[in-house]
Amino acid sequence: MLKIDDLHITVQETEILKGLSLEVPAGEVHAIMGPNGSGKSTLSYAITGREDYEVTQGDITLDGDSLLEMDPNERAAKGLFLSFQHPLEIPGVATMSFIRTALNAQRKARGENEVTAADFLRAIREKAKIVGLSDEKLKRPFNVGFSGGEKKRMEMLQMAMLEPRFGILDETDSGLDIDALKMVGEVVNEMRGPDRGFLVITHYQRLLDYVKPDRVHVLADGRIVESGGPEIARELEEHGYDKYIQSAA
Amino acid sequence: MRPNHQFTEFEKALIASMPAEGSEAGAILSGTGLPSRRDERWKWTDVRAALREEKQSSVQSVSSRAPLLSLDQPIEFLFANGHLSQAPAGLPEGLTLSRGGDYPLFRENLPNIATEKAEATYVLTVSGKLDRPIHLRFLSEGSGMHHTSVQVVLEEGAEASIVESLEGSDGAWFANGVMRFRLAKGASLERLILQQAHDDAVQVHFAMANLAAGANFTQGTLGFGSKLCRLETQVLHEGEGARAVLNGAYLLSGRRHLDNTTDVGHTVPGCVTEELYKGVLADKGRGVFQGRFYVARDAQKTDARMAHNALLLSDEAEVDAKPELMIYADDVQCAHGNTAGALDTEALFYMRQRGLSEAQARAMLVQAFVVEAFGHISNEDVKARLMVLIETWLEAQS
Ligand SMILES: Nc1ncnc2c1ncn2[C@@H]1O[C@H](COP(=O)(O)OP(=O)(O)OP(=O)(O)O)[C@@H](O)[C@H]1O
Ligand SMILES: [Mg+2]
């Protein structure tokens, strides 16, 4: 489904990803762990097409189509979703109308009908309950005055509403309480299916108790340095990244 | 008197058209000419340079057109190239229309010229609470010049709302208007100025508002600029506890120029002024903001705040801002802020990641930026219609 081949990314003249290869087949959930500054968020931005993340070599494909020439919104319409490590506040932008505009823009790009206001309202109320956001929060300008945890809930709400085919969760678990962590697990597990894939970036084994990964990769110094089963996450929890950092240096 | 002033053809013709005797405006004009970059208060808006060729008086008719802003049951007065060509057959109770009124000599001479050259100085007087909005439509067309002068008087405790739309068709016309507002004790006026014109038009629309004790003057502006446009409002707090809100938004594309100048004088204690202008500049748009607060020695407990924020969508756009505080009282709260910046690229990426096109994301962010300047508008319908005008402008940009 998502295939990354020998990816080199340069940000402001510094090479951050140095030949990263990774494949997530449809129906699977892969986890990425790695030390601070190793390039995990850089990878998620490169996949979703953020400006200033220059691809100097390699390719990223989704279902065999290269994403590199696509705009971020085209990639979104093709099914990519990123739960941001640090979600933004957007003052003055109404939450509901933003999410609805996003959903309809994606649908339109795919040649589907727009959702009606009534259907949208019904769906967002239901999903807001699942992620634990009150009606009052939906009426505020986007994320304005939200706590860190509430912003992560808003990311999950958008993922549930947009129903992407491939979701990237960049440290969605950081800063979440236990209930919220379970909620993330619920949302992902509910969406999991043969046509969907997920890439879950995390520092902790904890989230992986709720979202069972098919594979775990270790990213250090811009490359995948090890891949294996869920046992890798437990090993890292115990021993940290020492051996990878040395081997990478 | 300005030494060696070389009068332009326009100035010569304008001077010649002023009454031969007793014209104060004419006397000043013959001495100093039109305001130009050499005048501190006009250094960014050079009227003289924009009007060089001789202009005839405009014909007193224009083709009809749909209003820029449709209001609910407006009391509509239509000025066709300066000529009051349509007025309601009967006026609602509490509103009268007359001619005359007293006029002080303004420090600026263009409004003096407007008063002398207008076909009449109209006076609208409001008593009690007027439920329907007054709509003054100033329609301009052709390549001549025209002048208007309207006074709005609110008697004690009166309440009204007024919309002035400065609209125009193609043409290099020059429209020069003066408005005078006098609010008696406890009166309350909500004013909205809407300006949209073609590239060649030159407009100067000046207003002076005098506020008695406890009066409330709330002003909103939405302007799209023209070849050269200046919207100037001077407010004088003359009675304790008066309150003024001066808000505005402007969106400029092409080579349009819009100057928002405000000058608020606080001469008595306990008055409040809130001012917020939001500008959006695309292409080679040129925005000017001049805001001045004067607080006299006796005007203790004045609370006056001013902010101007500009959003530059293009490297070639330009904005000049001059906030100015002149404070002679010691127990006051006064503040001003001025910023200019570009759209937040991080927010743009976030929104596009969710599926919005670049144009959609930009439009949403621009609207979010501008809408703050409409925070004071109580009528949700009017606010929504202003947002539609902004959307239309945004669509034309992409
Ligand atoms: N826009 C940028 N400008 C300059 N340097 C950047 C930029 N984005 C990322 N970097 C650098 O790239 C490296 C990788 O950053 P990235 O955010 O991808 O790390 P990460 O693995 O997500 O770390 P963390 O676990 O702390 O979230 C860091 O050294 C960072 O400083
Ligand atoms: Mg990161």
Side-chain angles (χ1 to χ4, degrees):
Chain A
M1 180 166 211
L2 181 78
K3 193 168 174 219
I4 299 166
D5 183 32
D6 188 31
L7 187 66
H8 291 252
I9 297 287
T10 295
V11 185
Q12 297 190 341
E13 323 239 311
T14 312
E15 184 164 70
I16 310 288
L17 297 187
K18 306 166 180 170
L20 184 146
S21 298
L22 177 72
E23 187 169 357
V24 184
E28 295 196 3
V29 174
H30 287 202
I32 290 192
M33 304 183 81
N36 293 134
S38 56
K40 302 181 299 297
S41 294
T42 301
L43 174 64
S44 63
Y45 290 144
I47 298 171
T48 49
R50 184 162 178 168
E51 249 172 71
D52 303 331
Y53 287 70
E54 195 194 338
V55 179
T56 53
Q57 202 178 312
D59 200 2
I60 310 171
T61 59
L62 186 63
D63 302 327
D65 302 327
S66 174
L67 299 176
L68 298 187
E69 296 301 314
M70 292 187 192
D71 285 337
N73 43 306
E74 292 174 313
R75 300 184 198 203
K78 201 168 160 51
L80 273 180
F81 178 89
L82 170 61
S83 170
F84 284 65
Q85 181 174 357
H86 304 289
L88 309 186
E89 300 191 10
I90 316 181
V93 168
T95 303
M96 300 266 240
S97 108
F98 169 59
I99 300 177
R100 195 170 149 217
T101 307
L103 179 59
N104 282 332
Q106 288 199 21
R107 294 181 67 102
K108 204 172 150 202
R110 293 193 292 260
E112 299 165 11
N113 285 337
E114 298 200 344
V115 287
T116 66
D119 285 346
F120 175 81
L121 208 61
R122 204 171 309 123
I124 199 163
R125 288 242 165 87
E126 180 194 316
K127 303 213 152 128
K129 213 167 276 163
I130 296 171
V131 305
L133 285 173
S134 66
D135 254 21
E136 186 267 326
K137 293 265 153 50
L138 296 185
K139 283 179 186 142
R140 280 204 216 163
F142 192 79
N143 275 348
V144 173
F146 279 30
S147 73
E150 287 166 345
K151 287 179 186 164
K152 297 297 179 76
R153 289 174 193 265
M154 185 57 82
E155 296 296 286
M156 288 298 97
L157 174 64
Q158 293 170 83
M159 188 168 85
M161 288 301 295
L162 297 170
E163 303 182 305
R165 296 183 44 250
F166 196 91
I168 304 166
L169 278 64
D170 189 359
E171 293 195 35
T172 302
D173 54 335
S174 297
L176 288 191
D177 62 34
I178 294 292
D179 290 339
L181 209 58
K182 280 189 194 158
M183 173 278 291
V184 173
E186 243 173 79
V187 173
V188 174
N189 291 330
E190 169 73 26
M191 291 179 74
R192 248 173 130 150
D195 297 326
R196 276 213 173 95
F198 288 94
L199 194 60
V200 178
I201 298 168
T202 182
H203 284 297
Y204 309 104
Q205 158 65 31
R206 228 173 31 158
L207 175 69
L208 305 180
D209 290 339
Y210 300 102
V211 180
K212 297 261 186 297
D214 296 288
R215 284 181 79 72
V216 177
H217 309 274
V218 179
L219 201 169
D221 194 29
R223 287 186 199 88
I224 301 293
V225 293
E226 182 156 1
S227 299
E231 71 284 352
I232 289 187
R234 278 188 291 274
E235 256 169 55
L236 283 174
E237 193 98 330
E238 230 165 280
H239 303 296
Y241 293 106
D242 275 4
K243 79 174 191 197
Y244 301 112
I245 290 172
Q246 272 152 25
S247 73
Chain B
M1 177 88 62
R2 206 163 253 176
N4 308 321
H5 185 77
Q6 288 284 324
F7 288 101
T8 61
E9 293 307 310
F10 179 89
E11 285 173 321
K12 287 182 203 159
L14 184 60
I15 291 167
S17 78
M18 300 303 288
E21 287 195 12
S23 166
E24 287 173 295
I28 298 170
L29 185 65
S30 320
T32 63
L34 287 174
S36 72
R37 72 185 75 218
R38 304 198 318 204
D39 302 278
E40 179 59 23
R41 294 170 49 75
W42 295 83
K43 64 180 168 191
W44 292 314
T45 299
D46 193 330
V47 177
R48 183 170 180 264
L51 292 169
R52 295 197 156 273
E53 312 307 321
E54 180 178 347
K55 276 195 190 311
Q56 305 297 321
S57 288
S58 298
V59 293
Q60 296 195 336
S61 73
V62 298
S63 30
S64 73
R65 45 185 286 158
L68 206 49
L69 182 74
S70 58
L71 297 164
D72 190 28
Q73 291 196 299
I75 308 163
E76 188 177 299
F77 300 88
L78 199 137
F79 290 85
N81 279 345
H83 164 64
L84 179 59
S85 63
Q86 274 176 45
L91 292 177
E93 210 185 301
L95 179 67
T96 59
L97 173 69
S98 57
R99 293 173 176 227
D102 57 317
Y103 280 83
L105 197 65
F106 294 108
R107 182 181 48 188
E108 298 298 347
N109 199 35
L110 278 169
N112 298 329
I113 294 171
T115 298
E116 284 190 23
K117 291 203 56 91
E119 67 175 9
T121 58
Y122 293 100
V123 185
L124 287 162
T125 306
V126 183
S127 59
K129 183 175 187 319
L130 196 62
D131 292 325
R132 294 163 53 195
I134 300 168
H135 193 180
L136 307 183
R137 294 182 62 201
F138 298 102
L139 261 62
S140 300
E141 201 175 280
S143 56
M145 71 169 151
H146 45 274
H147 307 264
T148 51
S149 174
V150 179
Q151 266 198 49
V152 180
V153 179
L154 271 75
E155 293 181 346
E156 196 170 321
E159 277 176 52
S161 67
I162 186 165
V163 176
E164 293 149 55
S165 47
L166 317 178
E167 316 173 28
S169 313
D170 242 334
W173 44 267
F174 169 49
N176 180 30
V178 56
M179 300 289 304
R180 182 154 191 231
F181 298 96
R182 285 163 57 203
L183 277 64
K185 248 191 210 164
S188 170
L189 181 69
E190 192 169 329
R191 177 187 189 212
L192 176 66
I193 308 148
L194 199 57
Q195 179 273 332
Q196 191 168 50
H198 283 263
D199 292 340
D200 300 329
V202 177
Q203 292 162 290
V204 176
H205 196 69
F206 175 92
M208 170 89 205
N210 296 73
L211 313 186
N216 242 305
F217 180 75
T218 308
Q219 170 173 310
T221 302
L222 175 59
F224 297 94
S226 60
K227 177 181 178 186
L228 194 83
C229 178
R230 163 118 150 188
L231 304 174
E232 175 161 352
T233 302
Q234 298 189 2
V235 177
L236 198 56
H237 290 287
E238 295 173 322
E240 289 187 27
R243 181 168 174 269
V245 174
L246 299 172
N247 285 350
Y250 59 91
L251 299 99
L252 309 177
S253 59
R255 293 175 160 274
R256 291 185 188 189
H257 178 117
L258 180 61
D259 171 336
N260 282 290
T261 292
T262 58
D263 192 343
V264 185
H266 307 77
T267 56
V268 291
C271 294
V272 177
T273 303
E274 288 168 40
E275 178 163 357
L276 174 63
Y277 274 81
K278 294 265 186 170
V280 180
L281 299 107
D283 309 328
K284 292 187 172 169
R286 172 93 189 270
V288 174
F289 171 81
Q290 303 187 107
R292 198 167 80 120
F293 285 168
Y294 168 82
V295 181
R297 210 158 52 115
D298 295 336
Q300 302 294 1
K301 305 281 181 205
T302 291
D303 184 345
R305 290 153 210 281
M306 176 199 310
H308 168 254
N309 310 121
L311 185 58
L312 294 149
L313 301 181
S314 136
D315 293 339
E316 292 177 303
E318 190 183 329
V319 61
D320 295 297
K322 186 181 177 194
E324 201 182 348
L325 303 182
M326 301 172 70
I327 301 169
Y328 300 100
D330 46 25
D331 183 16
V332 298
Q333 293 206 32
C334 290
H336 70 82
N338 179 47
T339 63
L343 273 181
D344 180 355
T345 53
E346 231 182 307
L348 273 176
F349 171 66
Y350 185 93
M351 298 170 91
R352 295 182 73 194
Q353 202 305 300
R354 297 302 185 240
L356 273 67
S357 68
E358 183 166 9
Q360 278 180 311
R362 287 169 82 99
M364 233 184 215
L365 289 177
V366 169
Q367 287 182 49
F369 172 80
V370 166
V371 75
E372 265 189 85
F374 298 148
H376 66 283
I377 296 176
S378 55
N379 187 323
E380 291 298 326
D381 276 353
V382 168
K383 212 192 280 190
R385 280 173 205 157
L386 295 178
M387 290 317 284
V388 170
L389 291 173
I390 289 170
E391 269 166 45
T392 309
W393 184 87
L394 282 164
E395 276 160 20
Q397 304 315 304
S398 53

